[in-house]
Amino acid sequence: MLTVDFTRFPLAAGDRVLDLGCGAGRHAFECYRRGAQVVALDRNGEEIREVAKWFAAMKEAGEAPEGATATAMEGDALNLPFPDDSFDVVIISEVMEHIPDDKGVLAEMVRVLKPGGRIAITVPRYGPEKVCWTLSDAYHEVEGGHIRIYKADQLLARIREAGLKPYGTHHAHALHSPYWWLKCAFGVDNDKALPVRAYHKLLVWDIMKKPLATRVAEQLLNPVVGKSFVAYATKPHLPKAEA
């Protein structure tokens, strides 16, 4: 289930990509399939080991084209172990809402992104996320949980302040918002509640089968209740005099 829309965020074979805070690796895997040179980085060592196993399995199965590479590594988003201007593309999906120093993370991403490079940032959308916070403290008051809710204009202002130029936005995963509202209403750790179980089955079916009806429904509902807000931006080239 991808949050970044690669029709709006073009990726060329050979692009060097950083998936920052990669989690289980969903975007890193897609970039690898598209022929990129991928670095998946996360502070969670257990998840990184799983991502590395999947990269190896994908290579063995021939899922990645010739020339594509993939590396999984532990690291700190506030102190990235890469030189300036290292990547053509940076993706950070559903991460910034967890990090107190979001300006610091943006600064590091800008530092390692090449001039002319592209960045995709996704965060929980304000409206659906606010409902979750209202229904349940346990949803966000956990170690490593969500510490802020971004409004779209606030995130875009942060992006511009970091020296990036936004060029597009959209919302995603409208069908997932009601699921999290149900989880918050019945207890975030209560997976046995009938409405939660029933809706989870619907989501699994949708992800596996991708039926036209739910695809169309989600496209129509995304502007209204999309669970994620997605922003795309570029790092401007320096004027010749400054360069």
Side-chain angles (χ1 to χ4, degrees):
M1 184 187 71
L2 299 174
T3 308
V4 172
D5 181 352
F6 286 94
T7 65
R8 308 179 195 222
F9 190 66
L11 191 68
D15 275 351
R16 186 161 166 77
V17 177
L18 173 63
D19 185 2
L20 182 56
C22 65
R26 57 202 173 102
H27 289 106
F29 299 148
E30 180 64 21
C31 293
Y32 189 33
R33 290 188 187 99
R34 290 171 177 260
Q37 298 175 8
V38 184
V39 176
L41 183 144
D42 201 283
R43 64 183 298 181
N44 186 317
E46 184 176 340
E47 285 197 312
I48 282 297
R49 286 187 287 275
E50 283 300 310
V51 170
K53 289 178 184 177
W54 278 106
F55 278 152
M58 290 172 67
K59 182 178 180 179
E60 182 70 21
E63 290 188 35
E66 186 176 351
T69 62
T71 303
M73 61 186 296
E74 289 185 59
D76 181 358
L78 289 164
N79 187 23
L80 295 173
F82 311 111
D84 296 355
D85 306 337
S86 295
F87 295 94
D88 302 291
V89 172
V90 176
I91 296 171
I92 184 166
S93 183
E94 312 299 302
V95 173
M96 286 181 57
E97 67 276 9
H98 296 272
I99 301 177
D101 186 6
D102 59 344
K103 290 185 179 181
V105 171
L106 271 167
E108 271 293 86
M109 290 190 290
V110 171
R111 181 184 68 78
V112 302
L113 185 64
K114 295 177 182 179
R118 304 172 305 285
I119 190 166
I121 300 173
T122 90
V123 296
R125 184 184 187 177
Y126 183 85
E129 183 77 349
K130 189 68 174 178
V131 172
C132 289
W133 282 46
T134 301
L135 290 171
S136 171
D137 290 336
Y139 170 79
H140 64 98
E141 290 183 356
V142 295
E143 184 177 355
H146 298 183
I147 62 171
R148 71 174 66 82
I149 309 176
Y150 288 100
K151 291 185 177 179
D153 57 356
Q154 179 190 17
L155 180 62
L156 291 171
R158 286 272 201 277
I159 291 170
R160 292 188 181 98
E161 288 167 7
L164 298 167
K165 184 177 180 181
Y167 70 84
T169 65
H170 65 89
H171 300 97
H173 309 318
L175 295 182
H176 288 250
S177 290
Y179 173 71
W180 283 103
W181 297 338
L182 289 169
K183 288 271 287 181
C184 290
F186 286 92
V188 291
D189 296 320
N190 180 13
D191 293 326
K192 295 183 179 180
L194 180 59
V196 175
R197 287 192 290 116
Y199 203 96
H200 184 263
K201 287 182 179 179
L202 170 66
L203 291 179
V204 171
W205 172 76
D206 174 58
I207 291 169
M208 298 301 294
K209 301 295 185 181
K210 297 181 176 63
L212 179 61
T214 56
R215 295 299 88 217
V216 171
E218 186 158 73
Q219 287 179 8
L220 293 173
L221 290 170
N222 273 337
V224 184
V225 291
K227 183 73 169 66
S228 294
F229 174 70
V230 188
Y232 306 108
T234 58
K235 179 178 177 179
H237 289 276
L238 287 173
K240 288 184 179 180
E242 292 185 43

